[in-house]
Amino acid sequence: MRTGTSYSKAFSKMIWFMALLLAIFTAGCDRDHGTEMTPPLTPPTVTFVTPANASPGVAINRKVTATFSVPMSSATITAPGTFTVTGPFVTPVTGTVTYDGPSRTATFTPSVNLLNNTTYNITISTGAKNTAGTALANPFIWSFSTALTPDTTAPLVSFTAPANLDTSVAINRKIIATFNEAMDPATIVAANLTVTGPSGSVAGAVTYAAGSFAVTFSPSSNLATSATYTVMIKGPAGVTDLAGNFMAANYIWSFTTAAAPDTTKPQISSTNPADSATSVPIDHTVNATFSKAMNPLTITTANFTLMDGVNSVAGTVAYDVPSNIATFTPLSPLAFSTTYTALITTGATDLAGNALGSGVVPNPWSFTTGAAPVILSPVPLGAAATFGSFGGGAGITNQGILTKINGDIGTTGASTLMTGFHDLSVAYTSPNPGPAAGCTYTETPLNIGLVNGTIYTAPPPPTVSCPNEGTALTFSIATQAAADALTAYNQLAGMPAGPDPGAGSLGGLTLAPGVYTAAGGAFLLQGSDLTLDAKGNPNAVFVFQMASSLTVGGPGATAPRSVILINGAQANNVFWQVGSAATINAAGGGTMVGTIIAKSGATFSTAGNVNIVTLNGRAIGLNASVTLVNTVINVPAP
């Protein structure tokens, strides 16, 4: 026999279940206007902001907006302390807050222009509540930095659907136009967008989707069949951008309807990351491409969610109308080695009001982020650290008169294997006016290379006027440098293999610190430059492992390529472990970066080229010679 307590518990569960069913029913309501309601107890979210988080160069006369996932209580949005802007530091910015119900967008209008070249912080507090009285779960905070000048450029219509002169347009289709920049929601009203057809003006609702910069006209009833309609967006004294600039002229286009409505459900045609993807970067956005044009007002954080298994990921959602791509951008980097699940609900509808259907692409879909990078330490080079170039036991050859080594060079072979160089350890006379003097190594008038350091070789001395080089001591130093270079090579080769981000091709990539391994054995840098991003860490280390060759640049006159260091990256912390030979900018020109240690030596440029190749690093051949043609090498500071 049940006690009163048991009946009470059963009754409570029944009430909870009925409430859940009611919430689910409510979530599906009002989709035609893109204002899907979430269960009353589900906190609303901020789905899009302008300016975007961390945006630089924002015009000083720009308004600030925040768009919500569901309809909000206007009184709570405009209440003091709900929508605040501060800067510089914590100085409050005076202004007014308004709320546009159809677009679910709050707008902060500063009383005067913002300061130039200043960072501002914006907060939407938990005082913001939806129409059911449920507040944001947490304050929403973002920032941006201003430019030096105001925005005085008129906005433009960049895309329409239907397009101008389209035929066979479904009679239940919404009409959409996107702008080239964010617009003021308060100006996206029926008075500024009109549709006319065979019977005159068409009744309908005008809404603005901030995440798409798009205005949508939703006819009150289906359009007439096989009829021509004309749409006009009012320019002068009509729609404005967030800086108050009007369009320069009215925008007008037309289309012709078909004989039937559109009843085909949209599908997700692809996702990025793909389902089951691994090693996804933690700063990756999540994208979904649809099979047809979607209603921008339905592509929100209410219908596009990202979970780490338990918790929702805070972020913003934007929809690009021309490409049919929705993008979820997390507010902060994802966690390492974590599986995330993305979901787009049936609350997302197309322009005819058809809810998202299932397709061959999984929805929801999951992916896993990459492991935390190993914090690498610079590889010690020992006695090899001062060398700009080292030619193993085979020597170094210079061709041309523009070569300059700002560092030492050496070989474990005899001094006769170093050709086309001199250093300044003793008085030097160029071979052009007469016989060479000082520490010269087989220079000719066409092959002169300056070494702003010392040349280390095995005996004999290169000339009688240079008795302190080519000795047992210089041979000992060269021998130690060769041994230390081999140790460094083995350490680099022994590091755990890393990814091959470009399938062997490094051109056009921007890489974070870490180990990168050529899956096919060789790395090729052609077509575009390679950028190494230290992300603010001057101690960041980059290691490139290849079982065979390294080729930078191509043979053509316009083909030299460079390695570019940004955000604190240092040449001394870049290493290239080459299993065979390295060929650097055979056409001349370009800037290479890092310490290259190649088993089979290295070649810079090609004989006859006068365009200087620059290496900020070292070129070390373990078992073969190094050839330099009009090459400048700058040994990095330790």
Side-chain angles (χ1 to χ4, degrees):
M1 180 174 178
R2 290 186 176 179
T3 64
T5 301
S6 298
Y7 278 114
S8 175
K9 289 182 179 179
F11 181 74
S12 296
K13 289 182 178 179
M14 181 180 69
I15 293 297
W16 175 87
F17 183 69
M18 292 177 65
L20 179 61
L21 289 177
L22 178 61
I24 293 172
F25 173 77
T26 305
C29 295
D30 202 21
R31 284 181 177 155
D32 284 344
H33 293 87
T35 54
E36 308 79 55
M37 294 293 292
T38 56
L41 297 180
T42 299
T45 57
V46 174
T47 192
F48 190 78
V49 296
T50 57
N53 184 41
S55 291
V58 175
I60 59 175
N61 60 338
R62 176 81 173 265
K63 298 176 182 178
V64 182
T65 72
T67 301
F68 297 89
S69 57
V70 294
M72 303 295 287
S73 164
S74 177
T76 67
I77 299 299
T78 58
T82 298
F83 192 154
T84 57
V85 179
T86 59
F89 303 108
V90 293
T91 305
V93 176
T94 59
T96 57
V97 178
T98 57
Y99 178 70
D100 181 67
S103 65
R104 307 187 298 268
T105 299
T107 301
F108 181 93
T109 304
S111 300
V112 296
N113 284 355
L114 301 175
L115 300 175
N116 58 40
N117 199 28
T118 300
T119 297
Y120 287 87
N121 297 295
I122 310 94
T123 301
I124 306 293
S125 75
T126 54
K129 299 178 181 179
N130 64 17
T131 53
T134 304
L136 294 180
N138 299 290
F140 189 95
I141 302 171
W142 78 102
S143 64
F144 64 85
S145 299
T146 54
L148 300 176
T149 57
D151 174 8
T152 58
T153 303
L156 301 170
V157 173
S158 57
F159 182 84
T160 64
N164 186 37
L165 303 181
D166 262 3
T167 58
S168 302
V169 175
I171 59 175
N172 61 338
R173 171 84 173 260
K174 292 177 173 63
I175 301 165
I176 190 169
T178 61
F179 298 91
N180 66 333
E181 60 175 310
M183 303 296 286
D184 187 341
T187 67
I188 309 297
V189 294
N192 291 332
L193 191 154
T194 58
V195 180
T196 56
S199 301
S201 297
V202 177
V206 175
T207 52
Y208 176 68
S212 306
F213 304 165
V215 55
T216 300
F217 181 88
S218 302
S220 300
S221 58
N222 285 354
L223 302 176
T225 61
S226 303
T228 298
Y229 288 85
T230 300
V231 189
M232 185 186 78
I233 299 177
K234 188 177 181 181
V239 297
T240 71
D241 61 19
L242 287 173
N245 299 304
F246 291 101
M247 283 205 309
N250 296 338
Y251 190 89
I252 301 171
W253 79 101
S254 62
F255 61 89
T256 303
T257 56
D262 174 7
T263 58
T264 302
K265 289 180 177 293
Q267 298 177 353
I268 297 175
S269 54
S270 66
T271 63
N272 186 6
D275 186 48
S276 301
T278 58
S279 300
V280 175
I282 61 172
D283 58 353
H284 206 291
T285 58
V286 183
N287 304 309
T289 303
F290 298 95
S291 60
K292 59 193 301 195
M294 303 295 287
N295 180 355
L297 274 178
T298 68
I299 309 300
T300 71
T301 50
N303 295 324
F304 191 165
T305 60
L306 184 66
M307 303 279 293
D308 64 4
V310 177
N311 303 306
S312 296
V313 175
T316 59
V317 172
Y319 174 63
D320 183 66
V321 176
S323 65
N324 298 336
I325 296 177
T327 300
F328 184 102
T329 303
L331 281 183
S332 57
L334 303 176
F336 291 111
S337 301
T338 301
T339 297
Y340 289 88
T341 300
L343 170 68
I344 299 181
T345 72
T346 55
T349 65
D350 65 18
L351 290 176
N354 300 303
L356 181 67
S358 58
V360 296
V361 176
N363 179 33
W365 70 100
S366 299
F367 60 89
T368 303
T369 53
V374 176
I375 305 301
L376 300 174
S377 298
V379 176
L381 296 172
T386 65
F387 285 78
S389 182
F390 196 92
I396 306 173
T397 298
N398 166 57
Q399 296 177 322
I401 62 174
L402 302 177
T403 293
K404 180 186 292 186
I405 313 298
N406 293 309
D408 301 329
I409 65 173
T411 177
T412 55
S415 60
T416 53
L417 297 178
M418 306 290 277
T419 61
F421 294 101
H422 69 273
D423 63 29
L424 303 176
S425 59
V426 296
Y428 169 77
T429 302
S430 169
N432 288 312
C439 292
T440 60
Y441 292 73
T442 322
E443 282 190 334
T444 70
L446 297 179
N447 299 309
I448 303 172
L450 171 62
V451 178
N452 284 319
T454 302
I455 302 175
Y456 295 93
T457 72
T463 62
V464 294
S465 60
C466 185
N468 293 324
E469 293 183 6
T471 65
L473 178 59
T474 59
F475 174 63
S476 174
I477 294 173
T479 301
Q480 186 61 54
D484 290 347
L486 177 60
T487 298
Y489 178 92
N490 290 334
Q491 183 175 339
L492 291 167
M495 290 181 176
D500 184 348
S505 178
L506 299 174
L509 299 179
T510 297
L511 299 179
V515 177
Y516 298 94
T517 305
F523 271 132
L524 183 69
L525 174 52
Q526 292 182 343
S528 298
D529 295 335
L530 168 65
T531 300
L532 304 181
D533 183 357
K535 299 185 179 297
N537 178 11
N539 298 315
V541 174
F542 303 80
V543 174
F544 296 86
Q545 301 171 320
M546 60 220 82
S548 59
S549 63
L550 168 65
T551 304
V552 176
T558 60
R561 294 270 61 93
S562 297
V563 176
I564 300 168
L565 304 179
I566 63 173
N567 295 327
Q570 304 292 320
N572 205 40
N573 295 331
V574 179
F575 300 89
W576 304 84
Q577 174 260 312
V578 185
S580 60
T583 302
I584 311 299
N585 285 331
T591 300
M592 185 61 182
V593 169
T595 297
I596 303 169
I597 309 180
K599 277 190 173 182
S600 300
T603 301
F604 287 72
S605 191
T606 304
N609 289 334
V610 294
N611 292 330
I612 292 175
V613 178
T614 300
L615 168 63
N616 295 320
R618 306 170 183 87
I620 299 175
L622 295 179
N623 304 316
S625 64
V626 175
T627 299
L628 307 175
V629 177
N630 289 326
T631 301
V632 173
I633 298 180
N634 302 304
V635 176

